[in-house]
Amino acid sequence: MNLEPFRTKMARDRILTGAAVAILLGFIWYADNHFTQYSVRILNNIAIFIIVAVSYNLINGITGQFSLEPNAFLAVGAYTSALLTLSPEEKARSFIIEPIIWPLSDICISFPVSLLIAGLVTAFAALLMAVPVFRVRGDYLAIVTLGFGEVIQVVANNLVPITNGPLGLKGLTPHTNIWWSWGVCLVTVFCVVRLVNSSYGRAMKAVREDEAAAEAMGINAFWIKTLAFTFSAFFEGVAGGLLAHLITTISPSLFTFILTFNLLIIIVIGGLGSTTGAVIAAVLVTWGGELLRIFEEPATLFGFQYEGIPGMRMVIFSFLLILVMLFARSGLMGRKEFSWQKLFDWIRERCRSARDDG
């Protein structure tokens, strides 16, 4: 069997992917030096939402387990990273209700190490949670994971010597910049794509299609679901650390179910089971949400003065969401993934159609 054409295509795809990453890095450099702080902030938000959406899609879309816990994992990662990077003096000033417990009161480590620890702590929490959670399926699984999110929020409100309660943690150093957010984003997408295309990824898809049949074929469904859950939680914890050091202030009210709901919308719009769709939807929803703010501000349209209506962007967003669900019920990408070969085939087909029409 001649494998040379296959190897040639793989080499071509790697070169094109490397060129695309180089273009993205060039764009990030340009944005960092020429864009306004507001635009850079949006780009940071887009990168963080891509990290969480791609990770969340791994358990919900690829493995087919309907869970509602990302707000909890983001909170664990955010609090872990924040507590590890705050200086002892800043902690002493912030914890005014009750002093922070030792050794957290004396710990102060670098931002990259805190991100790694935030991911590991969140993954460990997911591992402990997986044991009781995956004893149930379907709607019951969604209720259990939703309850976990609520428990984390209650703990954050009441575990004052560690979380500072409702006051939250303030004065975090803004370590997260466009290089950190997009660097972690690229690493996350790379790791998720590699996992999905591995034998473990194929086992996850088998569990999604028919768990009983997958187990009959020798796949340990519990182990596969736990792997997806823990892997997803690691990157959600890292994203929580990035978010905490982007907004520099965190509190329990930041990590409500609304956060999970927004992420669920993103992966449904993109297409459950498509990593490409999760990336596209995260960009469209985050960037588009900011563009729709023009409908809440005064403007002149065709000679008429428009005063702007507060909340109008959410009305328009909901309308657009209904349209997507009506005309693309499987999401923008369904379960399809981007590939250079598909792109070339599509261009070739378009050229052939244009020649035939001409």
Side-chain angles (χ1 to χ4, degrees):
M1 183 177 178
N2 184 14
L3 296 177
E4 194 58 32
F6 178 71
R7 289 172 180 161
T8 303
K9 286 183 180 178
M10 283 189 65
R12 178 204 62 188
D13 291 350
R14 286 173 181 166
I15 292 172
L16 290 172
T17 303
V21 172
I23 292 172
L24 176 61
L25 293 177
F27 172 75
I28 291 171
W29 175 84
Y30 183 83
D32 194 28
N33 289 281
H34 296 88
F35 283 14
T36 62
Q37 287 188 350
Y38 174 70
S39 298
V40 172
R41 181 67 170 258
I42 294 174
L43 288 174
N44 278 318
N45 286 337
I46 289 174
I48 292 173
F49 270 87
I50 289 176
I51 296 169
V52 185
V54 167
S55 306
Y56 189 35
N57 187 58
L58 184 66
I59 184 69
N60 258 30
I62 305 296
T63 317
Q65 306 303 308
F66 185 40
S67 64
L68 299 170
E69 85 299 327
N71 59 322
F73 289 156
L74 279 165
V76 172
Y79 272 99
T80 303
S81 181
L83 286 168
L84 293 176
T85 54
L86 273 174
S87 66
E89 295 78 17
E90 191 63 41
K91 290 173 185 172
R93 282 195 294 271
S94 297
F95 283 72
I96 55 177
I97 302 176
E98 290 184 39
I100 186 172
I101 62 170
W102 186 88
L104 288 175
S105 58
D106 296 334
I107 290 177
C108 182
I109 62 177
S110 64
F111 175 61
V113 179
S114 77
L115 283 184
L116 180 62
I117 295 176
L120 292 174
V121 169
T122 311
F124 182 68
L127 188 62
L128 294 178
M129 184 182 168
V131 176
V133 160
F134 290 124
R135 291 182 180 276
V136 295
R137 300 176 183 175
D139 297 340
Y140 300 102
L141 175 63
I143 293 170
V144 171
T145 50
L146 174 64
F148 179 69
E150 295 301 313
V151 167
I152 290 294
Q153 196 176 7
V154 171
V155 169
N157 265 314
N158 292 280
L159 204 61
V160 180
I162 295 179
T163 63
N164 204 24
L167 295 180
L169 302 175
K170 301 179 177 63
L172 302 178
T173 305
H175 290 297
T176 302
N177 56 32
I178 195 169
W179 291 103
W180 269 112
S181 58
W182 280 96
V184 175
C185 177
L186 287 174
V187 171
T188 305
V189 172
F190 174 78
C191 292
V192 170
V193 169
R194 293 286 292 179
L195 178 63
V196 170
N197 291 329
S198 70
S199 58
Y200 295 107
R202 290 189 285 276
M204 290 173 189
K205 292 175 184 176
V207 171
R208 176 187 66 193
E209 298 302 327
D210 192 325
E211 188 172 331
E215 287 187 318
M217 294 295 292
I219 295 173
N220 187 332
F222 177 79
W223 156 243
I224 288 297
K225 288 188 287 187
T226 302
L227 172 66
F229 201 57
T230 309
F231 196 88
S232 173
F234 175 82
F235 287 107
E236 288 173 1
V238 173
L242 288 171
L243 183 65
H245 289 90
L246 178 67
I247 59 180
T248 69
T249 298
I250 59 172
S251 65
S253 60
L254 181 66
F255 303 101
T256 61
F257 175 70
I258 298 298
L259 186 57
T260 293
F261 183 66
N262 290 333
L263 290 166
L264 191 60
I265 289 175
I266 288 175
I267 62 172
V268 170
I269 288 178
L272 283 170
S274 171
T275 304
T276 308
V279 173
I280 294 172
V283 175
L284 290 179
V285 171
T286 310
W287 183 47
E290 294 299 323
L291 287 180
L292 291 177
R293 287 187 187 278
I294 60 173
F295 293 100
E296 297 181 352
E297 298 171 353
T300 302
L301 295 174
F302 305 109
F304 295 97
Q305 187 68 29
Y306 174 71
E307 296 299 334
I309 302 174
M312 178 55 74
R313 72 186 182 106
M314 294 310 299
V315 174
I316 297 174
F317 177 76
S318 302
F319 179 70
L320 294 175
L321 186 62
I322 292 171
L323 288 180
V324 171
M325 290 298 101
L326 284 176
F327 295 102
R329 296 184 180 181
S330 299
L332 298 175
M333 293 294 291
R335 289 180 177 173
K336 299 175 184 174
E337 299 288 1
F338 170 82
S339 76
W340 293 110
Q341 187 59 46
K342 289 179 182 176
L343 178 62
F344 290 136
D345 290 343
W346 181 80
I347 294 173
R348 196 176 296 117
E349 185 63 30
R350 288 286 177 181
C351 292
R352 187 181 297 119
S353 300
R355 281 199 302 271
D356 294 342
D357 293 340

